[in-house]
Amino acid sequence: MTDRSFANLTVVDHPLVADRITRLRDGGTEGPAFRRLTEERAALLAYEASRDLPVAARQVQTPLASCPGVRLEASPVIVPILRAGLGMVPGVARLFPEGPVGHLGMYRDEETLKPVPYYAKLPEPLTGRPVFLLDPMLATGGSALMALEYLQEQGAGDVRVLCLVAAPEGVRRLEERFPEVPVWTAALDGGLNDRAYIVPGLGDAGDRLFGTG
Ligand code: PRP
Ligand code: URA
């Protein structure tokens, strides 16, 4: 469902997604279950975000007859924002096993709340290929914005952002700077608290995935 407040946002409205977001929000959901639910939800988001991927005609021979079909023109490049985006990779890679995986490392400075980049490794070329940018929490939007700017510098054209939970502040910021970039989320929450955590959100995604914090 396209959210009426934001032209670039699709809130995926599906019982399987809603069930998993509820279990992820639950503070009692621990490590292994949290990881599995993150993977599953990432796959469901990637399925939705793939609806208009370009396909080419392909003829196949069934055991009975020749039959017209299609194949994806190109597997998307999968780009998680470290660390928490890593938790989404297995779910997306299951749909696109041939998709190369790039990595963008950044953490949010606790004082300034601005992203600090520390690593970047992307496959080449990015030009002409869809890129799925995985950022579980779209809070202030600073991390996604920095990632999008970098991807654009590296030649990416068709970038799609997938996140588990989004705050209106982050979606608005992305829409202002990159109106052409679509965003898929399972939940659009109320807003941010004074430490820029999404409320109700699900807490610190990286810490819950990796047992830190
Ligand atoms: C989290 C999350 C996002 C970012 C979102 O990462 O995974 O990448 O914050 O916040 P923003 O929209 O305000 O930029 P964090 O900095 O906690 O690093 P981590 O993934 O290594 O835990
Ligand atoms: N990063 C998180 O992991 N959670 C939030 O709510 C905001 C940023």
Side-chain angles (χ1 to χ4, degrees):
M1 175 181 70
T2 302
D3 187 87
R4 272 183 249 113
S5 329
F6 299 106
N8 63 342
L9 183 71
T10 302
V11 181
V12 177
D13 180 17
H14 192 290
L16 290 180
V17 175
D19 169 79
R20 277 150 186 82
I21 177 72
T22 306
R23 287 195 269 162
L24 281 168
R25 286 191 196 278
D26 185 341
T29 302
E30 307 253 358
F34 193 89
R35 271 184 228 134
R36 183 179 46 77
L37 290 164
T38 300
E39 285 179 31
E40 286 176 8
R41 253 231 344 239
L44 294 167
L45 287 171
Y47 172 80
E48 289 292 334
S50 309
R51 280 187 186 278
D52 64 345
L53 284 183
V55 291
R58 175 186 173 214
Q59 197 72 17
V60 285
Q61 183 70 37
T62 80
L64 302 176
S66 180
C67 171
V70 299
R71 63 175 165 75
L72 281 183
E73 273 186 5
S75 283
V77 178
I78 302 166
V79 180
I81 298 183
L82 311 184
R83 284 177 305 167
L86 283 176
M88 299 173 73
V89 171
V92 180
R94 214 168 295 133
L95 299 189
F96 305 106
E98 279 139 34
V101 181
H103 294 86
L104 295 179
M106 58 187 76
Y107 68 89
R108 207 171 65 159
D109 182 284
E110 285 185 12
E111 296 292 320
T112 65
L113 300 177
K114 295 210 165 66
V116 181
Y118 59 84
Y119 185 73
K121 184 81 179 172
L122 296 172
E124 290 182 22
L126 289 180
T127 316
R129 309 178 69 166
V131 175
F132 282 11
L133 178 64
L134 313 182
D135 189 10
M137 309 303 283
L138 186 61
T140 67
S143 306
L145 215 63
M146 181 177 271
L148 285 168
E149 276 163 3
Y150 186 71
L151 288 168
Q152 202 172 55
E153 275 167 34
Q154 301 304 309
D158 172 3
V159 185
R160 302 159 190 233
V161 178
L162 274 55
C163 53
L164 303 183
V165 185
E169 292 89 332
V171 180
R172 193 168 303 117
R173 211 164 149 204
L174 244 58
E175 188 167 89
E176 280 167 12
R177 174 68 184 78
F178 290 102
E180 74 287 3
V181 171
V183 179
W184 280 264
T185 185
L188 178 65
D189 278 9
L192 302 176
N193 69 10
D194 57 0
R195 291 174 54 224
Y197 274 81
I198 302 176
V199 182
L202 49 77
D204 189 307
D207 284 348
R208 293 191 67 189
L209 274 165
F210 299 115
T212 51

